[in-house]
Amino acid sequence: MSRQLFLTILLILCLLLSGCTERRETNEINFVLGALFDYNTEKEKYEMHAQVAVNEAFSKMQGGSQQEETFLIHRGQAETIYGTVRDAAKNTARRLFWSHCDVYVMGDDLARKGILPFLDFAKRYHELRTTAYIFVSDIPQEQLLTKNGNERVPLMALKKLVLLGPQRHGATIPKRIIEVWKDMTMPYSAYLIPLVNIKQPEFQAKEDQTNFEMSGAAVFRDDKMVGKLSPKETRGYLFITGQIKNAVFPLEVQGKKIAVELIGSEAKLTPYTQDGNIAFRLEILPQFNYGENDQPVNLENQVFNKAVERAFNLVVEQEVKGSINKAQQLKTDYFNFAREVQLADANLWQQIENQWSDEVFPDMTIEVKVQSKLLRTGLLIETNLKGGRVEGEK
């Protein structure tokens, strides 16, 4: 190899390995960590509220002033989603940097109008991560954007709450932007996005502090919100789709309350034809442990345990049927039962495809059967209060 060729190759490699051509110091950038997008129906314009971390406050050692602001809000308004981002940038000398933003909230008016403009912008704009989480909320903006517990940037709390939801109470479901895009582009698209609520305790230490709560879901058909699910209806959806992990259920057995802990559940869905119409058999198989019992009983007694299982079956069945009824009322197959029909009988699907959402699914028969199983009673086997007796015990 000639010396000239070697130097040429070395020069090319140096150019390829060069650093960033637009290096910026962190004190020249505003890091957006959470954002609210909405639509102003009076002005007929989109709005954007970005929560930005105060870099100086984040970089200080612990023990600094607790009163120091840790976030700022930059606002923009325009006729397009992209325009709101550029409009907000006019009021700050620091560039808004979106790559660290992991929380995007859609306001109620925007959700009803349609979130396609936001999703299209998110897919095109190179700084926005489509793996970020998306939410819907009808909370007034001043409450949604104010302080929340110990979070330095309030909207960041939503990500933690939605990820813990299926493990704690099963009344919410995480959703990423890329997942919504995929759902929306599927035939007969119907899907759920988690709802943000405000939990109002009986007493509160600070009047200017808001407590977020993740429960319920917004129902979408195509890119528009068509309804909302209650926490129980959302949990019914998680049972049907096999996504629920943990929750505590109060039950009434022999006239008294007990608490059981769900520790897992499976769902089996079987399509079949009935009088020429498509129908489904849905079997839910939850497993649970005892969590609390306030009546005198030996928990090794099978009569009592079977009574508890029946009570638990009834509660789960009501939540599952409630979610199914809401889906059929809204004509939104957010369970994706259509896919099961396609896989089971392609010829039948071709016959009913065009009528699925508006005619077939709303009137379809779905048989629900719940068979729960008690796994563990806990360390305490017997609650002995003056020798109480179990109904049915010999």
Side-chain angles (χ1 to χ4, degrees), residues 202-219:
E202 295 181 1
F203 62 92
Q204 197 162 290
K206 296 182 180 179
E207 294 182 357
D208 62 343
Q209 181 170 305
T210 303
N211 293 288
F212 295 144
E213 181 180 57
M214 298 301 308
S215 61
V219 182

Side-chain angles (χ1 to χ4, degrees), residues 33-73:
L33 299 184
L36 164 66
F37 287 85
D38 207 349
Y39 185 76
N40 190 315
T41 55
E42 294 181 358
K43 297 181 179 180
E44 297 185 344
K45 289 185 176 182
Y46 292 97
E47 296 180 343
M48 186 276 296
H49 309 263
Q51 287 189 341
V52 172
V54 176
N55 300 338
E56 293 80 1
F58 271 74
S59 61
K60 286 186 176 182
M61 297 291 290
Q62 294 183 357
S65 173
Q66 297 295 321
Q67 303 299 322
E68 189 172 13
E69 292 294 338
T70 57
F71 72 96
L72 300 173
I73 298 177

Side-chain angles (χ1 to χ4, degrees), residues 116-134:
L116 178 58
F118 169 78
L119 295 174
D120 185 82
F121 167 67
K123 288 282 288 184
R124 294 179 189 276
Y125 195 48
H126 65 281
E127 283 190 7
L128 265 69
R129 294 188 298 173
T130 56
T131 55
Y133 292 91
I134 186 171

